[in-house]
């Protein structure tokens, strides 16, 4: 015996009570409703209807169905001399069709008092009214009790109407029990129950019902098929969709419009656009939903041109477009290339009178954000006469996607001040805005708001919290949130693994990956991308990286584009660039993401020129640049300090509409800063309240690199006043500015102790560099000790400390350090210098003779040597190797890479022009002296940039005042 639900117990209670008691209580209810609505029991009869003495119930249908005028239908009903059950039923049905649910109930009450009983015609109308009202559950249960009493439950139409009623109130278990008790079930009954489960998101139950329906020999109609097809698609089960399709064809319903529409929609969602197109093109009849379905299929699969073409055909052949058509085609215009079409459709919807539609406005907001037009999105948002929560959430999500996290948080603040309703979507976007250590305190506040809003149990919010804490470097907090979540999905596991990967905690990432598999949670491509991202050190390659690659091949994920791209990055990060090149070269089809991964791999290894060449190759292959391609290209130009290429890329970013993107804007600023164009950098700097920590640091670093201590200090104080939180990069830049500014009274050690963040290797390396400038041997020794404890093979620590010792005249210590480097097998990074002459980069190493102009270069060097010696130059051979005689030491100095680059620049460029030369390591002291003398002898300005600062040589002096 089946267990009865709470709803059916209530119905049984009313079955045992007197029907008249039910109508007494109902009559009182209807009377209250009538008074509250100001209804009058007196009906005004239109003058033109006075002569209608012999009219039938069909006239009522005519007024309702054809003219949609319920008032005239009621007037006709009131003057009818003879009313039968059909007249009453039609009038009740008319009220339901026009949404007057209380009026329908009132009329039924009057009908009941006149002796008419419940029947198979008025019960479905009443139950529909109760369901659609959303607030008449009790009345529907009372009707159910009467049906049980008078035996109408055996009417299949009545039973089906009850199924709809229970489903409308989300009482799916009640509907299921009722369905099982129906003596007769028809296709409508089966379909009604399926719809209830589909509306509740229980798609697998829909499929089970469909399979049971077939086993029991019940036939399907078009509504059954559309429900089952949609559910199969929601389960992402393409095999099942094809099985249902074969049944559709066997049933001869493949030409039905509603079935075909469902198939188009589902195959589009499964990325089988060719199947969706075939179905659409072979339809005998199409409605607006048909066109919208094929538009959605193209838009979902990023086939923007096809979506726009079919939208044009829709207007030509179908004529009618609705708000859904416009929203779909706008979503297809979410790339910079299609922005002009998006603007055109914006104009069209204004012309068609849809500009006040909130849904369309929200889609427009998303389109403008996706195409980088934040100002247009803001303008639209502020002009919207009405905004719903989706509008606010769209603004937040748009700002987050564009890297404008402060703006996203301002939207949240405004939303909270207005006391508007917030949902899990709102807080998920807000937490995404805080997914940066810069906004950790704001993230903690949002976490508190999540708890006070009662949304901390929401899985989407939980996932966002795990991600936020991971991105902020708080992996312990991320783990704690993860462990406290009552429900976890694949996204949750990926978020935690991603957090460990971002913080280079490879052991924890692998441990979580293993635990995930033990819990029978199958990984997807995102899981593997995160795991690969955690392998970022050469020591990880043999232990984790290569075994992971083997696992990827075994599980078939090596065919996934994103996983392949991550393999390229993993091998490069672990020091194996050859394997990255092999994977890239073996690929026949390469997307922009693949090219970007390889460009980033080369840049990671300092092969910036190769990275730029690869970008040129990418352009020749007609692969479109995106914001990441441009930011990588600008970064390479910055490191090579090639101003002309950087300016060209900046222009391209503006042309493509990517100049407003966070990554591109900051990369452009960094490029101008590293190319020595401070004015151009400052022109791009956002207003203070909109600057990210990255923007502040780029500006501070640029001033430090030029030795502008006072400006750097001013930027730092302004940054703190605006509430931005300094990080390691900030303090490294500030410390560098102090040392380059010649501040000899700087207490470097005290500065580090008072920093609000613990010092890392960059901080100690900057301090060690400052010790060379100021001759602080003991402090330099401490800094070198910290660096070598962290990384015993850090060649820069040995070289910098050796320079400190040399400056202090401690030659025995210098020799001891060089001997230790040899015994520890620490290789000094080879120095090289380069310059750009006639759009051609020429690179030189120490003693290099491979250049085509090598003979002329060495002749020029001898000329310069003679001229500057006559001007007073005396070589400082302490910068040469100490195992040779003095003459050999001097000869070695004159083969340094920066001198070869200088000689080539002088013979290859126009006299009087500014010469720009770049070096990958700190310029040697004797070369610095040579450059000063040469600038005076040849009467030219020479700009030399090393990793630490710019040196502007002119008239025998340097802008650094010999502090570098």
């Amino acid at each position: 015996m089946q267990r009865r639900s709470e709803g059916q117990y209530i119905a049984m209670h009313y079955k045992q009570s007197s029907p008249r008691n039910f109508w007494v209580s109902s009559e009182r209810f209807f009377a209250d409703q009538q008074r509250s609505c100001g209804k009058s029991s007196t009906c005004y009869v239109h003058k033109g209807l006075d002569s209608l003495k012999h009219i039938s119930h069909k006239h009522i249908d005519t007024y309702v169905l054809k003219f949609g005028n319920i008032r005239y239908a009621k007037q006709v009903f009131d003057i009818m001399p003879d009313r039968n059950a059909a007249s009453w039923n039609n009038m009740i049905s008319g009220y339901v069709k026009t949404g007057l649910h209380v009026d329908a109930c009132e009329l039924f009450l009057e009908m009941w008092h006149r002796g008419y009983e419940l029947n198979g015609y008025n019960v479905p109308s009443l139950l529909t009214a109760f369901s659609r009202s959303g607030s008449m559950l009790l009345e529907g249960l009372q009707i159910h009790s009467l049906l049980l009493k008078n035996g109408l439950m055996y009417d299949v139409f009545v039973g089906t109407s009850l199924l709809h009623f229970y489903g409308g109130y989300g009482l799916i278990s009640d509907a299921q029990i009722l369905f099982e008790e129906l003596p007769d079930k028809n296709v409508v009954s089966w379909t009604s129950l399926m719809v209830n489960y589909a509306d509740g998101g229980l798609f697998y139950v829909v499929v089970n019902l469909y399979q049971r329906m077939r086993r029991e020999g019940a036939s399907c109609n078009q509504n059954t098929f559309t429900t089952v097809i949609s559910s199969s698609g929601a389960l992402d089960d393409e095999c099942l969709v094809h099985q249902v399709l074969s049944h559709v064809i066997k049933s001869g319903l493949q030409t039905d419009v509603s079935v075909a529409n469902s198939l188009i929609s589902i195959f589009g969602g499964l990325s089988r656009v060719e199947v969706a197109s075939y179905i659409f093109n072979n339809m005998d009849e199409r409605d607006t939903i048909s066109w919208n379905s094929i538009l959605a299929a193209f838009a979902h699969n990023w086939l923007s041109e096809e979506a726009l073409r079919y939208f044009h055909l829709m207007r030509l052949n179908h004529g009618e477009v609705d708000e859904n058509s416009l929203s779909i085609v706008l979503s297809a215009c979410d790339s910079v290339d299609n922005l002009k079409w998006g603007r055109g459709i914006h104009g069209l919807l204004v012309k068609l009178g849809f500009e006040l539609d909130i849904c369309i406005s929200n889609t427009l907001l998303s389109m403008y954000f996706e195409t980088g037009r934040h100002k247009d999105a803001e303008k639209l948002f502020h002009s919207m006469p009405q905004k719903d929560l989706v509008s606010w959430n769209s603004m937040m999500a748009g700002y987050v996607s564009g890297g404008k996290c402060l703006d996203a948080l301002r939207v949240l603040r405004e939303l909270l001040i207005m006391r508007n309703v917030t949902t899990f979507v709102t807080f998920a976007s807000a937490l995404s805005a805080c997914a940066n250590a810069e906004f950790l305190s704001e993230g903690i506040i949002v976490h508190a708001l999540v708890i006070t809003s009662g949304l901390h149990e929401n899985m989407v919010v939980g996932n966002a919290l795990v991600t936020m804490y991971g991105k902020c470097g708080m992996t312990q907090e991320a783990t704690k949130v993860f462990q406290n979540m009552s429900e976890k999905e694949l996204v949750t596991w990926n978020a935690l693994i991603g957090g460990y990967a971002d913080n280079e905690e490879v052991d924890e990432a692998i441990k979580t990956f293993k635990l995930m598999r033990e819990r029978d949670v199958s990984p997807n491509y995102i899981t593997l991308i995160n795991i690969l991202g955690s392998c970022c050190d050469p020591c990880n390659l043999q232990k984790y990286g290569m075994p992971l690659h083997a696992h990827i091949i075994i599980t078939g994920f090596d065919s996934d584009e994103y996983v392949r791209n991550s393999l390229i990055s993993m091998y490069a990060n672990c020091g194996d660039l050859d394997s990255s090149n092999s994977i890239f070269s073996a690929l026949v089809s390469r997307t922009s993401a693949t090219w970007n991964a390889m460009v980033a791999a080369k840049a990671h290894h300092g092969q910036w020129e190769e990275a730029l060449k690869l970008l040129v190759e990418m352009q020749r292959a007609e692969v479109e640049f995106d914001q990441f391609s441009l930011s990588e290209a600008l970064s390479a130009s910055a490191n090579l300090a090639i101003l002309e290429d950087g300016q060209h890329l900046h222009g391209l970013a503006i042309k493509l509409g990517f100049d407003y993107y966070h990554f591109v804007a900051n990369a452009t600023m960094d490029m101008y800063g590293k190319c020595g164009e401070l004015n151009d950098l400052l022109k791009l700097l956002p207003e203070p309240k909109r600057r990210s920590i990255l923007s502040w640091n780029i500006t501070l670093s640029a001033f430090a690199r030029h030795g502008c201590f006072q400006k750097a200090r001013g930027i730092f104080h302004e940054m703190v006043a605006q509430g931005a939180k300094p990080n390691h990069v900030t303090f490294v830049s500030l410390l560098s500015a102090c040392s380059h500014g010649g501040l000899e009274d700087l207490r470097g050690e005290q500065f580090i102790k008072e920093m609000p963040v613990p010092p890392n290797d960059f901080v100690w390396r900057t301090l060690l560099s400052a010790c060379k400038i100021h001759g602080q041997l003991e402090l330099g020794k401490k800094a070198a000790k910290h660096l070598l404890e962290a990384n015993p093979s850090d060649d820069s620590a040995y070289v910098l400390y050796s320079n400190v010792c040399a400056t202090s005249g401690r030659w025995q210590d210098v020799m001891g350090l060089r001997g230790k480097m040899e015994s520890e097998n620490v290789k000094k990074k080879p120095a090289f210098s380069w310059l750009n002459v006639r759009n051609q980069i020429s690179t030189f190493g120490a003693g290099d003779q491979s250049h085509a102009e090598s003979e002329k270069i060495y002749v020029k060097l001898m000329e310069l040597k003679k001229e500057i010696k006559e001007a007073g130059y005396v070589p400082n051979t302490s910068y040469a190797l100490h195992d040779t005689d003095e003459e050999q030491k001097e000869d070695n100095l004159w083969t340094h890479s920066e001198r070869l680059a200088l000689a080539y620049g002088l013979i290859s460029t126009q006299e009087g022009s500014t010469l720009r030369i770049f070096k990958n390591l700190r310029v040697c002291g004797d070369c610095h002296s040579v450059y000063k003398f040469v600038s005076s002898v040849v009467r030219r300005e020479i700009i030399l940039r090393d990793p630490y600062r710019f040196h502007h040589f002119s008239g025998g002096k340097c802008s650094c005042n010999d502090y570098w």
Side-chain angles (χ1 to χ4, degrees), residues 19 42 63 311 447-448 572 578 660 677 746 766 883 959:
T42 306
Y63 278 112
F311 179 69
H447 190 175
D578 289 340
Y660 285 107
E677 301 296 323
L746 171 70
T766 303
D883 56 355
S959 61

Side-chain angles (χ1 to χ4, degrees), residues 229-230 259-270 276 293-294 296-297 300:
I229 291 166
S230 300
V259 174
N261 293 346
S262 296
L263 288 167
I264 293 167
S265 179
I266 294 309
F267 279 114
L270 293 169
S293 298
I294 194 65
H300 176 76

Side-chain angles (χ1 to χ4, degrees), residues 472-510:
C472 291
M474 305 285 286
T475 51
Q476 288 186 342
E477 288 299 318
T479 305
K480 192 183 297 182
V481 173
F482 176 86
Q483 291 171 345
N484 289 332
M485 290 177 66
S486 56
E487 287 185 81
K488 300 177 183 72
E489 60 180 352
L490 179 58
V491 175
T492 320
W493 290 91
N494 286 346
L496 184 61
I497 293 171
Y500 289 133
D502 289 336
N503 292 280
E504 300 181 8
E505 298 181 28
V506 61
D507 292 326
E508 289 299 319
I510 296 292

Side-chain angles (χ1 to χ4, degrees), residues 606-804:
Q607 297 183 9
W608 302 304
E609 189 177 355
E610 290 300 313
L612 284 176
K613 287 179 181 177
L614 199 61
L615 284 160
V616 172
E617 191 179 336
M618 174 181 176
Q619 199 171 29
R620 286 175 183 161
E622 298 183 350
V623 179
E624 292 182 356
F625 280 10
D626 58 18
Q627 56 172 317
F628 303 107
S629 315
L630 287 166
S631 60
E632 288 289 351
L634 284 161
S635 178
S637 297
N639 285 301
L640 287 169
I642 306 175
L643 179 61
E644 295 80 5
D645 283 359
Q647 288 171 327
H648 171 73
L649 288 164
H650 185 195
L652 183 61
I654 294 170
K655 180 181 177 182
L656 296 176
F658 287 118
D659 52 318
Y660 285 107
Y661 279 75
H662 178 67
F663 297 112
V664 176
N666 283 313
T668 307
M669 287 168 53
D670 190 45
M671 180 274 296
Y672 281 120
K674 287 179 177 175
C675 289
E677 301 296 323
L678 286 178
N679 289 333
D680 288 328
L681 184 156
L682 295 173
K683 287 176 186 176
L684 296 174
L685 191 64
E687 57 183 280
K689 67 178 182 179
R690 292 182 179 271
R691 288 176 201 165
S692 66
I693 187 68
L694 184 56
S695 302
W696 287 106
N697 285 343
I698 286 170
T699 311
L700 186 59
S701 176
F703 283 133
R705 200 175 285 114
H706 285 267
C708 305
F709 169 71
Q710 296 300 337
K711 289 182 179 179
R713 186 172 67 173
I715 282 288
F716 176 76
H717 287 308
E718 187 182 5
M719 170 185 177
V720 173
Q722 289 291 331
K725 299 175 184 62
N727 59 16
H728 286 104
V729 179
T730 314
F731 289 108
V732 166
S733 299
L734 194 60
L735 189 60
S736 176
C738 295
S739 63
H740 293 162
L743 302 181
E744 295 191 33
D745 60 342
L746 171 70
R747 297 177 182 178
E749 196 171 13
Q750 182 181 346
F751 176 88
I752 290 173
K753 287 179 180 178
E754 293 175 354
M755 280 171 33
V757 294
N760 61 6
D761 60 330
F762 293 107
V763 174
W764 291 116
R765 191 172 290 109
T766 303
L767 178 63
L768 183 54
S769 173
C771 291
K772 181 264 178 187
I773 296 170
H774 302 293
Q776 297 189 26
L777 182 64
E778 289 304 314
L779 186 56
K781 188 175 182 179
K782 288 182 181 180
K785 182 181 178 183
H786 280 287
L787 285 168
L788 292 172
E789 282 177 352
N791 182 8
S793 60
D794 186 349
D795 66 310
S796 66
Y798 281 103
V799 173
L800 285 171
Y801 185 46
S802 175
N803 290 340
V804 173

Side-chain angles (χ1 to χ4, degrees), residues 405-705:
C405 300
L406 281 175
D407 290 315
L409 292 173
R410 288 189 186 100
V411 172
L412 175 66
R413 183 181 63 184
E414 190 175 348
L415 193 60
L416 294 172
I417 290 172
M418 294 171 64
R419 298 186 180 277
N420 282 7
V421 177
T422 52
T423 65
F424 71 92
V425 178
T426 313
F427 285 112
S429 294
L431 289 166
S432 296
C434 302
N436 185 309
E438 181 183 355
F439 302 111
L440 176 60
S441 57
E442 287 84 355
I444 293 171
I445 292 170
V446 174
H447 190 175
L449 290 170
V450 165
I451 295 170
T452 56
S453 301
L455 289 168
H456 54 288
E457 292 290 334
N458 183 276
M459 188 160 55
V460 175
V461 174
N463 295 343
L465 280 166
V466 173
T467 302
M468 186 270 290
Y469 280 119
K471 295 285 186 186
C472 291
M474 305 285 286
T475 51
Q476 288 186 342
E477 288 299 318
T479 305
K480 192 183 297 182
V481 173
F482 176 86
Q483 291 171 345
N484 289 332
M485 290 177 66
S486 56
E487 287 185 81
K488 300 177 183 72
E489 60 180 352
L490 179 58
V491 175
T492 320
W493 290 91
N494 286 346
L496 184 61
I497 293 171
Y500 289 133
D502 289 336
N503 292 280
E504 300 181 8
E505 298 181 28
V506 61
D507 292 326
E508 289 299 319
I510 296 292
K511 179 182 173 183
T512 307
F513 178 59
K514 289 179 178 177
L515 180 63
M516 170 186 174
R517 295 176 68 196
E518 288 171 8
R519 300 279 178 87
D520 292 328
V521 180
S522 299
N524 64 0
Y525 72 98
I526 295 174
T527 319
L528 295 168
I529 288 171
N530 288 339
I531 287 288
L532 289 168
S534 68
C535 301
C536 53
D537 191 89
C539 65
N540 299 147
L541 186 60
Q542 294 286 340
K543 187 177 180 182
Y544 296 129
M546 297 180 79
L548 277 169
H549 192 174
H551 172 76
I552 286 165
I553 293 171
I554 292 168
T555 53
F557 276 105
D558 57 321
S559 62
D560 185 276
E561 174 203 340
Y562 300 102
V563 174
R564 289 198 304 262
N565 297 344
S566 296
L567 282 168
I568 291 171
S569 301
M570 185 273 290
Y571 277 110
N573 293 337
C574 291
D576 187 358
L577 187 61
D578 289 340
S579 292
S580 297
N581 281 321
S582 298
I583 295 170
F584 179 79
S585 301
L587 297 176
V588 177
S589 177
R590 300 168 185 161
T591 64
S592 60
T594 310
W595 287 91
N596 292 345
M598 196 61 231
V599 169
K602 290 188 179 294
H604 179 77
H605 283 258
Q607 297 183 9
W608 302 304
E609 189 177 355
E610 290 300 313
L612 284 176
K613 287 179 181 177
L614 199 61
L615 284 160
V616 172
E617 191 179 336
M618 174 181 176
Q619 199 171 29
R620 286 175 183 161
E622 298 183 350
V623 179
E624 292 182 356
F625 280 10
D626 58 18
Q627 56 172 317
F628 303 107
S629 315
L630 287 166
S631 60
E632 288 289 351
L634 284 161
S635 178
S637 297
N639 285 301
L640 287 169
I642 306 175
L643 179 61
E644 295 80 5
D645 283 359
Q647 288 171 327
H648 171 73
L649 288 164
H650 185 195
L652 183 61
I654 294 170
K655 180 181 177 182
L656 296 176
F658 287 118
D659 52 318
Y660 285 107
Y661 279 75
H662 178 67
F663 297 112
V664 176
N666 283 313
T668 307
M669 287 168 53
D670 190 45
M671 180 274 296
Y672 281 120
K674 287 179 177 175
C675 289
E677 301 296 323
L678 286 178
N679 289 333
D680 288 328
L681 184 156
L682 295 173
K683 287 176 186 176
L684 296 174
L685 191 64
E687 57 183 280
K689 67 178 182 179
R690 292 182 179 271
R691 288 176 201 165
S692 66
I693 187 68
L694 184 56
S695 302
W696 287 106
N697 285 343
I698 286 170
T699 311
L700 186 59
S701 176
F703 283 133
R705 200 175 285 114

Side-chain angles (χ1 to χ4, degrees), residues 174 326 383 589 694 864 952:
D174 295 87
L326 294 164
S383 68
S589 177
L694 184 56
L864 291 173
H952 293 258

Side-chain angles (χ1 to χ4, degrees), residues 7 10-11 14 136-145 165-166:
I10 297 171
Y14 279 105
M136 302 176 79
L137 172 62
L138 186 60
E139 287 72 27
L141 294 174
Q142 291 170 334
I143 287 289
H144 189 177
S145 70
F165 165 75
Y166 280 114

